[in-house]
Amino acid sequence: MTLHAQHPPTSPMAPFDLVIFGGTGDLAMRKLLPALLHRHVDGQIGPDSRIYGIARDERTDEAYRERVRDAVAPLAAADPRIAACLDEFLGLLHYRRLDLGSEAGWPEFAAELGDTPGRVRVFYLAVGPSLFANVADRLDGVGLAGGGTRVVVEKPIGKDGASAQVINEALGRVFHESQVYRIDHYLGKETVQNLTALRFGNALFEPLWKAEHIDHVQITVAETVGVEGRAAYYDKSGALRDMVQNHLLQLLCLVAMEPPASLAADAIRDEKLKVLRALRPIDGGNAGQLTVRGQYRAGAVGGQAVPGYLDELGAASNTETFVAIKAEVQNWRWAGVPFYLRTGKRLAQRMSEIVVTFRRVPHSIFGDPNDGHSSPLAPNKLVIRLQPDEGVKLWLMNKVPGPGGMRMREVAMDLSFAETFGGRQPDAYERLLMDVVRGNPMLFMRRDEVDAAWQWIDPIRAAWEAAHDAPKAYTAGGWGPSAAVALIERDGRTWHEDGY
Ligand code: BG6
């Protein structure tokens, strides 16, 4: 059954102001403004809201609107609804030149925004984290940091626990924690939100969701892209900080957390925090056995030859573009269950999924798999495909119909989101931006979560640095270094790779 074309019940937002620092940057053009456009087209953003792009160069409102028009042209070309609303949306946009190094223009900007009681004001800091404190201070200096203000920050929130603390302190001096929205865009993905729905909206899974019945969990976030012109940032970060500290750990938390008492933001964030704090520490003593880091060499992705990381960077570097980790959540529910995490750039396929592998049946009544007639019973697997081909598959053993005895085969119950729900999957930023305006922090990271994630990550980083060895090479277009395969195969398990 397809539930096509059901218009989502979107509640129109009360008029608000959204100010994007870094208003001409990549994030604004590729993600934020297209997301706002979609919300406008669906009637969620009315004509009295204002969206400001802020940057350092001189530009008129008109020039800014034209720039945005170009950026969203492919969306308008693909959908007549968008084309029809585009001019109205562009009319909501304004551009202001503001320099963090100078006071010029700030008081006038504050006056323009005004101070209408009850009107929500969102400042989106789509700028490097080294500028967060400056923006916060400037906003404070012109009286824009008060009650109705919300501030949104993107990762990276620091490069380790100590630097994250400095950033959070600087924000904390100006804003109350409830005003700060830390984005991890994975939490806004529909399929990631569905993890909570799947686990806690069905009675089926929860009784089995524990070490007694689950053999292991795999979380893979594989990308085909390289560093995409972000080499300067990426080389200082690496996959551990760029992906594991935030996206992969958040996914792990959603899989492993205890049932929260409600959907209240803190109820969920409290449970996620407990998972982060229960992670088995990895340091110099065990990093060699539990982690693998890799760096891609030249190869081919999707039939296209691509250069190696060092060629793209044009310099020597030990930064990892791939990580695999065998993690463990040390509590009663999960003791002894490995959580294998892996993520990397320039892998064979763009694919993010969570695979929950259940334990084997305790005894097979279907004969001896070595007798030539019977097949071994594969363990059941729940595969949650986050992207692309979003959906859920439950792999079960079935009898192959027809004569020939009880021949068993593994087949999947397949819930494809596209087939079931049809329509467009909204981008994560659409939900996240509207949640900020709505004042719902459920899908944002609380400060203590960020700290706890760094507390687990920092010793891994330190162990790698102390080991002085280079990341393992892997050929672009494969599945990472062979050591990552060995990491899981040593335990008698394999990565779930063959067709989801
Ligand atoms: C970002 C990382 O947070 O996530 C990028 O900085 C990465 O390096 C991106 O490419 C992946 O996001 P998505 O939504 O494309 O899976």
Side-chain angles (χ1 to χ4, degrees), residues 30-31 154-156 183-186 189 221-223 225-228 230 233-234 237-239 241-243 246-247 343-345 350-352 387 427-429:
R30 268 193 327 126
K31 292 288 185 185
E154 272 281 338
K155 63 171 261 280
I183 284 213
D184 180 321
H185 78 280
Y186 266 59
K189 288 183 189 269
V221 177
E223 298 187 274
V225 293
V227 289
E228 296 184 291
R230 299 155 77 219
Y233 152 75
Y234 193 86
S237 170
R241 291 176 173 130
D242 186 51
M243 297 296 286
N246 35 80
H247 308 324
T343 182
K345 301 240 180 242
R350 174 170 178 264
M351 182 273 278
S352 298
Q387 61 188 28
D427 185 74
Y429 281 94

Side-chain angles (χ1 to χ4, degrees), residues 134-307:
N134 281 1
V135 182
D137 290 342
R138 287 273 176 230
L139 292 175
D140 196 25
V142 291
L144 284 176
T149 289
R150 291 167 197 158
V151 57
V152 187
V153 292
E154 272 281 338
K155 63 171 261 280
I157 298 174
K159 61 179 176 50
D160 53 20
S163 51
Q165 193 128 359
V166 171
I167 292 171
N168 282 324
E169 298 279 311
L171 291 172
R173 273 196 294 277
V174 174
F175 302 106
H176 186 266
E177 174 66 19
S178 62
Q179 293 176 278
V180 182
Y181 289 72
R182 295 178 192 81
I183 284 213
D184 180 321
H185 78 280
Y186 266 59
L187 296 180
K189 288 183 189 269
E190 287 292 325
T191 43
V192 175
Q193 294 176 56
N194 193 46
L195 274 173
T196 307
L198 202 63
R199 279 196 62 196
F200 305 119
N202 298 291
L204 191 63
F205 299 115
E206 195 48 30
L208 302 178
W209 212 254
K210 52 173 120 161
E212 209 183 326
H213 301 292
I214 290 180
D215 177 73
H216 75 282
V217 177
Q218 299 181 14
I219 302 179
T220 297
V221 177
E223 298 187 274
T224 50
V225 293
V227 289
E228 296 184 291
R230 299 155 77 219
Y233 152 75
Y234 193 86
D235 197 55
K236 287 202 208 79
S237 170
L240 186 69
R241 291 176 173 130
D242 186 51
M243 297 296 286
V244 182
Q245 190 268 347
N246 35 80
H247 308 324
L248 275 90
L249 284 185
Q250 286 292 322
L251 295 177
L252 185 153
C253 286
L254 292 173
V255 173
M257 71 183 182
E258 294 300 315
S262 71
L263 275 186
D266 280 335
I268 293 187
R269 298 191 293 183
D270 287 347
E271 295 308 335
K272 288 196 293 169
L273 182 64
K274 285 185 212 160
V275 174
L276 292 169
R277 291 188 172 155
L279 285 170
R280 175 185 180 187
I282 300 181
D283 56 23
N286 54 6
Q289 294 89 57
L290 301 178
T291 70
V292 172
R293 60 197 182 115
Q295 191 186 70
Y296 61 84
R297 299 284 178 265
V301 178
Q304 282 248 286
V306 295

